[in-house]
Amino acid sequence: MATENIEDITTTPRFIPSTRFTIALLVSFALFTQYEQRQSLAIAIVCMVNKTSNNIKVNSTLHLEHNTTVTPSVKDTVQFFKEKTFHWNEFEQQIILGAYWAGYILTLVPGGWLSMSIGAKRVFSYCLLTSSLATLALSVIYTMADTQFLFILIVVLRIIAGLGHGALFPATYTVWVSWAVPNERGTLTAISFSGTHVGTSTMMLIGGIFCRYMNSGWMYIFILSSIVGFIWFPLWLWLVTDSPREHKKINQIERNYICNIIGRKTNNKSGHLIALSSLPWKKIVRSKPIIALFITHSCNVFGLFFFYTNIGKILTEIHGVSTQKTGYLLAVGYIIMALCSLLSGIVSDLLVKKNIMSLTSVRKLFNSLTSFIPVICMCVLCFCDETRQILGMGTLLVYLGSSGFGYGAGYVVNFADVVPAYSSLLFGLSITFGSLASLSANVLAGFLIKQPILSDWRYMFIIFMLVYTIGGLVYLAFGSAIPRKWAINVNEEHNTNIDNEASIDPSETMLKT
């Protein structure tokens, strides 16, 4: 019997197929759904607004211009819906687009807290089902008159969708605290987070096709993106549990492999809400690796979130790229970002498994790539206008690709390394600060960019160079992947005499075994 237990501990079960790989695919599916629902209105609004009467250019990723025409015979072949548009001015459009973020930011921290308390499975289920229903409900406005009530209804539905989505990213950490051993964490989280980039890219491509070639193409966008959520929901309920020990179909060797490396008590499973006052806040704010992680996360998000919403403007206004080509280019860019995220996760795990680098060194390597490559890109962009169009396009693709390293093996993954028991909550706090920082970048751009010309944009590029440099250097100096002793188990009694920076890297223990 003792021999069997030893084999269970030392034997590494196959990765594909396995229960943990299946869960990674389902988390990726969930985040794919989240991001295609998030982007749905940003794309749909292109064909929702009556551009002729308003004489405007819709500020969206696809940037369909007011003089863009579609051959009538093409749309006449689609008879499911009649063409219907709405008369919203630029201010009303920005309110509609911004409503999502009002809900999203509100549930980032509560989402992590709830997943720690009641489990990530239920948080994912409730939240994504809610957002799918809210997205489907947007299609109802097809039957309604263009009134103030309809405008308010859209704003409310987008706030609800944002509330549902805000909890998902923090809850992802709760999943991997229980399911991912340290030397597989990069691969599993990279598979999970790749769904965000693929979802964005897919919606850009499909949404653009619907808007261009179908009557009321926005209807298809909302219906399709909600149906994807309804397909995901039963699969999640059937195949996912909060931990390996609760899974009824998992192979016993795989169960023991995960539980004996991670530990069997990583999360609170009482089902009761955890009192926030009971968390070791003093240890958190005094931990250098955590503070370094917060800083590098905020610095990266400061730039990345800004470029998410402005990269299309840069391509069209500064580099002179056509609007149609911009949509295709961004779709390719997000696919590259997903591939870089996935590859960096796989490579980082191989480096640790083969004992080539420690987990901390791997995290610093890839976090440096995701911080310092953008610094070079910002420097190049300072000299790119329409006369250097190809260089500008290539630089922005490199920027998106390098940003993927952070998702696969850098700061995004590091929360589960250093504070496993509290990773979902602390990530929620960190991304909230990062989101607010990105909003400040938009405000700053409003003051600095008076005209859509390179000389004005150059100020922003220089600021991003400085911010990315600070984030990369701070993490190089103080970052770590070693879990804090007090952050391994939520229910652990916290001894104030224990050095809060001392712990044992479980990946090193595993390698010795």
Side-chain angles (χ1 to χ4, degrees):
M1 189 67 176
T3 302
E4 291 178 357
N5 289 335
I6 292 174
E7 289 178 355
D8 286 346
I9 295 173
T10 59
T11 301
T12 301
R14 62 186 179 185
F15 187 76
I16 302 175
S18 67
T19 302
R20 60 197 189 283
F21 177 68
T22 299
I23 291 176
L25 292 179
L26 286 170
V27 174
S28 182
F29 191 4
L31 297 181
F32 171 91
T33 305
Q34 173 191 344
Y35 271 67
E36 50 104 26
Q37 288 180 359
R38 172 192 286 188
Q39 287 294 114
S40 62
L41 184 62
I43 303 300
I45 202 169
V46 172
C47 50
M48 293 179 76
V49 175
N50 188 318
K51 294 178 283 294
T52 302
S53 63
N54 288 325
N55 193 29
I56 59 172
K57 180 191 288 185
V58 180
N59 182 19
S60 94
T61 307
L62 293 185
H63 298 336
L64 294 187
E65 297 163 353
H66 69 278
N67 60 352
T68 299
T69 58
V70 179
T71 306
S73 60
V74 175
K75 283 202 169 186
D76 287 345
T77 60
V78 181
Q79 301 295 334
F80 295 107
F81 301 105
K82 294 180 179 180
E83 186 70 14
K84 182 170 184 175
T85 56
F86 303 91
H87 299 81
W88 299 323
N89 60 37
E90 183 65 28
F91 177 77
E92 290 172 325
Q93 291 176 58
Q94 292 301 325
I95 293 295
I96 291 171
L97 291 170
Y100 174 91
W101 298 102
Y104 184 82
I105 292 176
L106 287 176
T107 52
L108 286 168
V109 175
W113 173 55
L114 283 172
S115 67
M116 290 168 54
S117 301
I118 65 175
K121 178 177 180 177
R122 281 190 278 180
V123 170
F124 264 90
S125 302
Y126 300 153
C127 291
L128 202 53
L129 179 62
T130 299
S131 68
S132 297
L133 290 170
T135 302
L136 181 62
L138 285 170
S139 62
V140 176
I141 67 175
Y142 178 81
T143 63
M144 301 174 64
D146 189 359
T147 63
Q148 189 66 22
F149 174 77
L150 179 141
F151 173 79
I152 295 173
L153 177 63
I154 294 175
V155 170
V156 170
L157 289 174
R158 285 299 284 177
I159 290 175
I160 293 173
L163 288 169
H165 289 166
L168 298 184
F169 238 91
T172 302
Y173 289 89
T174 304
V175 173
W176 295 126
V177 164
S178 296
W179 279 97
V181 301
N183 70 346
E184 291 181 348
R185 189 170 290 141
T187 301
L188 289 169
T189 54
I191 292 171
S192 302
F193 294 134
S194 65
T196 63
H197 315 306
V198 177
T200 300
S201 179
T202 300
M203 180 50 64
M204 284 181 176
L205 290 173
I206 296 178
I209 292 172
F210 284 151
C211 270
R212 188 170 182 83
Y213 296 110
M214 298 206 177
N215 291 326
S216 296
W218 52 271
M219 283 286 290
Y220 299 90
I221 293 174
F222 294 142
I223 293 172
L224 179 63
S225 57
S226 61
I227 287 176
V228 172
F230 298 137
I231 294 173
W232 166 87
F233 184 70
L235 295 174
W236 180 263
L237 293 180
W238 178 36
L239 296 172
V240 174
T241 60
D242 285 318
S243 69
R245 60 183 177 275
E246 298 173 7
H247 206 287
K248 296 180 180 180
K249 297 182 180 180
I250 188 173
N251 181 283
Q252 188 62 37
I253 294 177
E254 184 181 8
R255 189 200 311 274
N256 289 343
Y257 169 72
I258 298 170
C259 290
N260 283 292
I261 292 174
I262 296 179
R264 295 177 180 272
K265 295 181 179 180
T266 54
N267 289 307
N268 169 63
K269 297 304 297 179
S270 63
H272 302 295
L273 295 179
I274 297 171
L276 292 177
S277 59
S278 67
L279 271 60
W281 293 110
K282 288 185 179 180
K283 297 183 188 298
I284 291 171
V285 299
R286 293 175 181 174
S287 174
K288 292 179 182 178
I290 294 176
I291 299 303
L293 182 54
F294 266 63
I295 291 173
T296 193
H297 189 197
S298 296
C299 288
N300 276 272
V301 169
F302 177 83
L304 185 59
F305 281 16
F306 178 85
F307 275 88
Y308 272 159
T309 55
N310 286 277
I311 194 169
K313 288 173 64 65
I314 294 171
L315 284 167
T316 55
E317 296 177 1
I318 306 302
H319 301 147
V321 181
S322 66
T323 55
Q324 186 172 1
K325 187 183 293 184
T326 294
Y328 294 138
L329 188 67
L330 290 180
V332 171
Y334 287 115
I335 291 295
I336 293 174
M337 193 173 179
L339 291 174
C340 288
S341 173
L342 185 59
L343 289 175
S344 64
I346 294 172
V347 171
S348 66
D349 286 347
L350 286 175
L351 291 173
V352 174
K353 285 181 179 179
K354 294 183 179 297
N355 209 18
I356 297 174
M357 298 177 70
S358 69
L359 193 59
T360 295
S361 298
V362 165
R363 293 287 180 259
K364 288 187 176 183
L365 169 64
F366 283 97
N367 200 76
S368 295
L369 292 175
T370 206
S371 294
F372 296 132
I373 291 179
V375 173
I376 299 173
C377 291
M378 295 302 111
C379 182
V380 174
L381 288 174
C382 285
F383 303 96
C384 288
D385 54 15
E386 67 277 0
T387 63
R388 297 185 176 91
Q389 185 184 89
I390 295 178
L391 179 60
M393 291 164 59
T395 300
L396 287 170
L397 289 178
V398 171
Y399 170 78
L400 289 175
S402 64
S403 298
F405 295 144
Y407 283 80
Y411 62 92
V412 176
V413 184
N414 193 222
F415 284 90
D417 297 323
V418 70
V419 279
Y422 309 108
S423 57
S424 55
L425 178 61
L426 293 186
F427 175 82
L429 281 171
S430 184
I431 193 65
T432 301
F433 293 141
S435 298
L436 293 174
S438 69
L439 290 177
S440 70
N442 287 96
V443 174
L444 189 61
F447 285 107
L448 295 178
I449 302 174
K450 304 300 182 183
Q451 300 180 61
I453 56 177
L454 179 59
S455 58
D456 281 8
W457 272 94
R458 193 172 285 135
Y459 294 113
M460 290 302 299
F461 296 146
I462 292 172
I463 290 172
F464 288 127
M465 286 172 59
L466 296 174
V467 171
Y468 272 111
T469 300
I470 292 171
L473 290 176
V474 169
Y475 190 83
L476 267 179
F478 303 108
S480 175
I482 300 176
R484 310 300 94 183
K485 283 184 177 179
W486 47 266
I488 295 175
N489 180 11
V490 172
N491 296 316
E492 182 179 313
E493 294 294 329
H494 304 297
N495 187 339
T496 56
N497 295 322
I498 294 177
D499 179 6
N500 68 341
E501 297 303 308
S503 190
I504 298 174
D505 188 341
S507 64
E508 294 178 3
T509 303
M510 179 179 56
L511 289 170
K512 291 177 182 178
T513 305

